[in-house]
Amino acid sequence: MKDSQKIEQYHLHKAHPNKLQFQLHDLKSYRKKNPEKAAVPHSHSYYQLLWFFNAGGTHTVDFNSYEIKENMVLFTNKDQIHFFDDNLEVEGWLIHFNESFFMHSDVDIFLKYNIFNIEQNPCYLLDCNTVKIATHHIELIAKELPNKLSFGHEDMIRFLLKSLLITMERIHYSDSSRKLQINNHYERQFFAFKDLLELHYREGLAIKDYANLLNTSAKTLTTITKSVVGKAPSELVKERIILEAKRLLKFTSLPINEVAFRLGFEDDSYFIKYFKRTIGMSPKAYRGTIS
């Protein structure tokens, strides 16, 4: 898989921002239109929801392959590397939408950071009742999509999508280990920090720089991140850098010094030490473990 120096990234209406930033596809039709492209590791600049109707096969996201089960929903975040197996007869639904399609209310922020959380299992198994409700939502979306000139067209689809995601999240929301506190000030600040981290992790910013961008102090930022996820902000920065390093080492054939450069390291020897200190092996050794 590492025969390329670039991980292909796909976009949704990037050249046409005035278009509806949302798509609904029949999964089998989509796979047959993109038989090879979708089976090669790639990423998106948008969010993706995959609903598999039947068990069988796997879907790979970053470094994990997930066994497809009946009525399994799999959420992929922006920039995650994923790919399909070779089954072109897979049945289900595929939903794409851009960040701008969210309205950034408290519930939207919650959904973004809980459902599309790259640190946790991205798979949800829908029970019979949720299947009925979710199917109804998608049928309403499909019915609304052609009505481009109707009053409130975009909002109608947005609200139906939000309702669909809330319905799916309710399966897990009773699990206190996953529950985030909507309207909690620390949560909102933490999410803002995560957004900044995505923008700047390659730039070598100090924690005080992130704190300044949030109009707070480094001490307060540390209190926030430890309160929400039990980790210091420096640890979260390191995790994000290492995640990207592992992606580049696994899914591209870039030389180690180029990987280091792309992650903001001017000295590749420092990057090698940084990676080894965190992972327990050098970038070269890590790449050698990948089949």
Side-chain angles (χ1 to χ4, degrees):
M1 289 181 184
K2 304 187 298 295
D3 58 352
S4 171
Q5 296 202 351
K6 179 183 178 183
I7 301 169
E8 196 67 51
Q9 183 171 65
Y10 300 111
H11 308 281
L12 180 61
H13 303 321
K14 185 176 183 179
H16 304 282
N18 293 327
K19 282 191 173 183
L20 183 71
Q21 300 298 302
F22 174 93
Q23 290 179 338
L24 173 66
H25 300 278
D26 173 84
L27 187 52
K28 184 190 286 189
S29 299
Y30 182 87
R31 280 295 287 120
K32 289 188 173 181
K33 285 181 181 177
N34 304 276
E36 297 179 358
K37 189 167 68 171
V40 174
H42 63 277
S43 70
H44 306 285
S45 61
Y46 50 84
Y47 297 98
Q48 184 179 74
L49 182 160
L50 285 158
W51 178 354
F52 299 98
F53 291 167
N54 306 310
T58 61
H59 193 87
T60 302
V61 183
D62 276 332
F63 319 104
N64 301 300
S65 290
Y66 298 96
E67 180 185 353
I68 297 172
K69 300 178 181 179
E70 183 179 356
N71 284 318
M72 185 177 89
V73 175
L74 190 149
F75 301 94
T76 57
N77 205 339
K78 296 182 300 180
D79 300 324
Q80 282 191 292
I81 314 301
H82 78 113
F83 55 94
F84 288 83
D85 60 18
D86 58 4
N87 178 18
L88 299 182
E89 300 299 321
V90 59
E91 295 187 346
W93 289 111
L94 175 63
I95 290 177
H96 295 155
F97 62 96
N98 268 325
E99 175 96 13
S100 61
F101 202 66
F102 270 144
M103 294 298 288
H104 300 291
S105 69
D106 289 335
V107 170
D108 295 321
I109 293 170
F110 169 82
L111 291 170
K112 172 182 172 181
Y113 282 101
N114 211 39
I115 285 184
F116 293 97
N117 184 347
I118 64 176
E119 284 92 16
Q120 68 188 21
N121 189 334
C123 301
Y124 286 32
L125 292 179
L126 306 184
D127 56 44
C128 292
N129 186 53
T130 304
V131 166
K132 291 178 183 177
I133 298 170
T135 298
H136 182 59
H137 279 78
I138 289 181
E139 287 173 348
L140 289 173
I141 289 172
K143 186 177 180 180
E144 176 63 28
L145 278 170
N147 303 328
K148 296 180 181 180
L149 299 180
S150 296
F151 170 73
H153 171 67
E154 184 171 325
D155 277 333
M156 178 67 80
I157 296 172
R158 180 182 290 113
F159 296 148
L160 285 167
L161 172 64
K162 186 184 299 187
S163 183
L164 173 67
L165 295 176
I166 290 171
T167 297
M168 292 177 172
E169 177 57 20
R170 282 180 174 176
I171 297 170
H172 295 289
Y173 194 63
S174 59
D175 180 352
S176 60
S177 68
R178 296 175 60 99
K179 190 180 295 185
L180 299 177
Q181 301 298 316
I182 300 175
N183 294 322
N184 181 290
H185 177 67
Y186 274 9
E187 296 281 7
R188 289 164 76 67
Q189 288 287 87
F190 173 75
F191 297 152
F193 169 65
K194 291 282 281 185
D195 278 342
L196 288 173
L197 182 54
E198 284 301 308
L199 290 173
H200 301 293
Y201 71 89
R202 297 178 182 90
E203 299 171 14
L205 297 187
I207 299 306
K208 66 177 182 179
D209 297 322
Y210 284 106
N212 288 337
L213 290 170
L214 292 167
N215 296 314
T216 190
S217 67
K219 182 178 180 180
T220 299
L221 179 56
T222 300
T223 300
I224 289 167
T225 61
K226 285 189 173 182
S227 173
V228 176
V229 293
K231 297 177 181 179
S234 57
E235 188 175 354
L236 295 172
V237 173
K238 179 183 290 186
E239 286 179 356
R240 186 63 187 90
I241 293 170
I242 293 297
L243 172 61
E244 200 65 24
K246 289 166 72 176
R247 285 173 173 169
L248 293 172
L249 291 168
K250 178 172 184 178
F251 298 113
T252 78
S253 58
L254 286 169
I256 303 299
N257 63 341
E258 180 63 22
V259 172
F261 176 76
R262 291 196 181 192
L263 293 172
F265 291 85
E266 295 181 2
D267 184 349
D268 60 313
S269 63
Y270 178 69
F271 165 69
I272 293 170
K273 292 176 183 177
Y274 182 93
F275 188 92
K276 187 174 183 178
R277 188 165 60 243
T278 307
I279 300 299
M281 64 178 76
S282 69
K284 183 179 180 179
Y286 174 78
R287 179 172 269 172
T289 66
I290 299 166
S291 57

